[in-house]
Amino acid sequence: MTILLIAAAFIAIAILVALVAMRAGPRKGPEPSGGNAGFAIFMVLIVVFGLGAPAYALVNNADTSPTEGKDGVELTTAQSEGRDMFIHNCATCHTLSDAGSTGMVGPNLDELRPPKALVVDAIAKGRARGMGQMPAGLVGGQDAENIGDYVSAVAGR
Ligand code: HEC
């Protein structure tokens, strides 16, 4: 996102410079023949760095795929959304090494290795069996499914 903004800013600057140059051109009278070539090179440089560098960064980011969990488990889009939701809603209470969480209120999910159905059930109903309290309905519907997918894929890895 930031990269796109930077690229947009570069392009805006390039267009602005081009407009100013075009306006100023005729008033200055005849230019030395090298002037336009220099300007063209300048424009090419701006395009190369303004578009090339961000494009390169985007491609590079795609390589170190955001869908790969911390422990190298390949995640689907749903699972990687589940990972984000887990970090925001569950990490304070549960340890799960892939999400980098060390919560101690609830059971360590790396040790429990809950199947998806158990995760979804725990989210829907909450849990209160002594060790503490897990509120019901922290997240709903698709988010709960995604977290279940994610946790069952990475727990214990
Ligand atoms: C406020 C702390 C807290 C939060 C937040 C929390 N949990 Fe829990 N969770 C617990 C506690 C405490 C238990 C153990 C309940 C018990 O057995 O007494 C538990 C149990 C579980 C279990 C085991 C259920 C079972 O039947 O063995 C799973 C799976 C689980 N949580 C997943 C999640 C997920 C996924 C989230 C995020 C949506 C989450 N928890 C958020 C505190 C929390």
Side-chain angles (χ1 to χ4, degrees), residues 8 18 20 42 49-50 56 60 88 91-92 103 110-111 121:
V20 169
F42 176 66
F49 284 102
Y56 177 77
N60 241 20
H88 285 115
T92 43
D110 285 321
E111 283 162 14
D121 182 78

Side-chain angles (χ1 to χ4, degrees), residues 60-129:
N60 241 20
N61 279 352
D63 275 346
T64 60
S65 164
T67 58
E68 189 167 303
K70 175 175 148 290
D71 293 348
V73 181
E74 279 290 329
L75 298 182
T76 65
T77 312
Q79 287 167 345
S80 119
E81 276 168 28
R83 185 173 195 270
D84 288 343
M85 296 300 295
F86 184 93
I87 289 169
H88 285 115
N89 296 287
C90 323
T92 43
C93 293
H94 290 284
T95 293
L96 183 64
S97 83
D98 184 88
S101 69
T102 53
M104 299 288 281
V105 180
N108 179 327
L109 297 181
D110 285 321
E111 283 162 14
L112 188 68
R113 303 194 66 169
K116 178 182 175 183
L118 181 62
V119 177
V120 173
D121 182 78
I123 294 173
K125 296 180 191 155
R127 286 289 187 272
R129 275 193 270 120

